Amino acid sequence: MSTATAAVVDRVEQTRPAQERLYSLDLFRGATIAAMIVVNNQNSDSAYWPLQHASWNGWTPTDLVFPFFLFIVGVSLAFSLHSRLERGDSRRAIVLHIVRRSAVLFAIGLGLNGLAALQFGTWRIPGVLQRIAAVYCAAGLLTLFASIRSRAAWVAALLFGYWILMRYVPIPGYGVPGRDIPLLHHDANLAAYLDRKLMFGHLWEPTRDPEGILSTLPAIATGLCGVLTGEWLRSERRAEEKLARMFACGVLGVIAGELWGIWFPINKNLWTSSYVLFSAGCALICLAACYWVSDMKRHRGAWSKPFLIFGVNSITAYVISELIGGWLGWKGYTWLRSPAWMDSAGLASLLYSLVVLGLCFVPVWWLYRRHIFLKV
């Protein structure tokens, strides 16, 4: 574990996070990464419905976890890049930082994939950290060089452009989606076709990957929605006004996503445009709730501390969870989430994932107690 964890670390800060950090953002990030660890360690065959991914179209609470994290990446970008500019960092230095950090994240993701499949011919290329890296890089460069209006235009272009590609571009050997074949067919869609052509044998599934190449485009829009939210939170507006706008935009996002979903279904595997709007709306509502509770009402305490601890070392927590989950699987301890030792298979799966979460908490709590915040 020490070698892989060390790869995560670019530098170690021996001081507390800056006082101007948004408590609600760390709280939301920590809750999201904790949820990610729990859902990633479920038994997909027996987990409770809210802890399972939707089989294809539609959504469950689990399907909101990953876009929440990408949204948070965008919010954090708005704060961190402006902070670096204000302290005098050059744009060239910031670009190099963005590219280097993205490359490190991508490499760590490949390394974690390699632990599951050491054969080069079947080594999965896409992944969670790889998508985070791509979104961070694209959203970071747009945040650095594009105006707020331009970023909003990029969101619209990515969402509508992706819809046009998935709806109207013919799939070789299949035909036009919605006319010759069902729209968003499992295998006969443009995203899956490109993944097979470019990365065949290196995918999560034989015919497609949920973090594939084309679906990264709307995922970038998810990150940019977070950037726009971060810009709003950085403004000089009153806290009440910030809260009201976040909540209102969140509700509008949910409604817009559901409406667009009538023609372009909500689908996490393909990261459809309706899914981006819906999940970003949900993220805005959740962030608004955290902002109201922890930054406006100042309700902080023992209940929020575990989430804060996960939030300030989120990538480290995720990497540790992948290592622990992989180690338990390699040792054969996944029997802990089987129904053989408990009447309820769903409860057994949940308890197993909570055990993994608890094992992950110990090292990040140790880091927090020593004021160590690992950054890529």
Side-chain angles (χ1 to χ4, degrees), residues 29-102:
R29 185 192 295 110
T32 299
I33 203 68
M36 188 179 292
I37 293 171
V38 169
V39 301
N40 283 354
N41 287 280
Q42 292 293 310
N43 186 335
S44 58
D45 296 327
S46 58
Y48 292 125
W49 166 80
L51 298 175
Q52 295 182 14
H53 288 290
S55 58
W56 194 242
N57 292 336
W59 64 279
T60 71
T62 292
D63 293 314
L64 299 177
V65 175
F66 193 16
F68 276 17
F69 195 83
L70 292 184
F71 180 89
I72 292 166
V73 168
V75 178
S76 302
L77 265 171
F79 283 91
S80 62
L81 294 192
H82 281 287
S83 176
R84 296 194 64 163
L85 287 171
E86 288 171 358
R87 71 173 184 241
D89 289 2
S90 69
R91 291 182 183 272
R92 179 179 181 275
I94 296 175
V95 168
L96 291 175
H97 169 78
I98 291 172
V99 173
R100 180 195 54 78
R101 189 180 190 196
S102 301

Side-chain angles (χ1 to χ4, degrees), residues 81-347:
L81 294 192
H82 281 287
S83 176
R84 296 194 64 163
L85 287 171
E86 288 171 358
R87 71 173 184 241
D89 289 2
S90 69
R91 291 182 183 272
R92 179 179 181 275
I94 296 175
V95 168
L96 291 175
H97 169 78
I98 291 172
V99 173
R100 180 195 54 78
R101 189 180 190 196
S102 301
V104 172
L105 277 171
F106 198 95
I108 295 171
L110 284 178
L112 290 175
N113 286 353
L115 295 178
L118 294 176
Q119 294 183 351
F120 182 77
T122 57
W123 198 317
R124 184 190 178 202
I125 296 174
V128 170
L129 289 180
Q130 293 90 314
R131 173 153 289 183
I132 293 174
V135 170
Y136 174 81
C137 186
L141 294 176
L142 287 171
T143 302
L144 189 61
F145 292 107
S147 66
I148 293 178
R149 287 186 178 181
S150 296
R151 292 172 216 151
W154 269 102
V155 172
L158 288 167
L159 296 185
F160 281 102
Y162 186 61
W163 168 65
I164 290 171
L165 290 173
M166 295 292 288
R167 173 63 181 84
Y168 294 106
V169 174
I171 314 300
Y174 294 97
V176 178
R179 188 191 71 186
D180 305 316
I181 52 175
L183 181 63
L184 304 188
H185 186 281
H186 283 70
D187 298 321
N189 65 77
L190 186 60
Y193 174 80
L194 290 176
D195 286 344
R196 291 195 297 271
K197 282 293 182 181
L198 300 174
M199 298 183 295
F200 185 73
H202 299 274
L203 305 173
W204 178 254
E205 299 176 79
T207 57
R208 57 187 175 270
D209 197 290
E211 282 82 49
I213 295 172
L214 189 62
S215 61
T216 300
L217 296 178
I220 293 170
T222 299
L224 287 174
C225 288
V227 171
L228 295 173
T229 302
E231 296 287 2
W232 177 248
L233 286 170
R234 286 187 63 257
S235 70
E236 298 299 325
R237 308 276 184 170
R238 294 181 301 110
E240 292 79 9
E241 189 175 353
K242 294 178 182 179
L243 176 68
R245 181 70 65 85
M246 281 195 293
F247 183 78
C249 289
V251 172
L252 288 175
V254 170
I255 294 173
E258 289 283 12
L259 288 175
W260 200 351
I262 298 173
W263 300 278
F264 195 29
I266 293 173
N267 187 304
K268 188 263 181 189
N269 290 279
L270 295 173
W271 214 278
T272 53
S273 304
S274 57
Y275 173 69
V276 171
L277 293 179
F278 179 81
S279 59
C282 292
L284 271 165
I285 293 172
C286 291
L287 180 57
C290 292
Y291 184 73
W292 180 78
V293 170
S294 63
D295 284 316
M296 292 180 64
K297 295 300 182 180
R298 312 289 290 184
H299 294 316
R300 307 172 182 178
W303 71 271
S304 63
K305 199 62 172 289
F307 298 121
L308 181 67
I309 291 172
F310 272 120
V312 296
N313 272 310
S314 56
I315 295 296
T316 303
Y318 175 79
V319 172
I320 292 174
S321 74
E322 291 294 293
L323 295 173
I324 289 177
W327 180 79
L328 288 174
W330 177 62
K331 286 291 188 178
Y333 292 132
T334 50
W335 59 266
L336 291 170
R337 62 184 180 189
S338 70
W341 66 289
M342 186 174 291
D343 292 336
S344 171
L347 182 58

Side-chain angles (χ1 to χ4, degrees), residues 16-17 21 23 25-31 33-34 37 301-318 320 357-358 360-374:
R16 289 187 180 275
R21 288 178 72 103
Y23 191 96
L25 184 59
D26 283 330
L27 181 65
F28 187 27
R29 185 192 295 110
I33 203 68
I37 293 171
W303 71 271
S304 63
K305 199 62 172 289
F307 298 121
L308 181 67
I309 291 172
F310 272 120
V312 296
N313 272 310
S314 56
I315 295 296
T316 303
Y318 175 79
I320 292 174
L357 181 66
C360 295
F361 181 77
V362 174
V364 293
W365 172 80
W366 182 88
L367 293 171
Y368 183 85
R369 284 292 301 269
R370 283 153 181 77
H371 307 158
I372 299 173
F373 309 99
L374 306 182

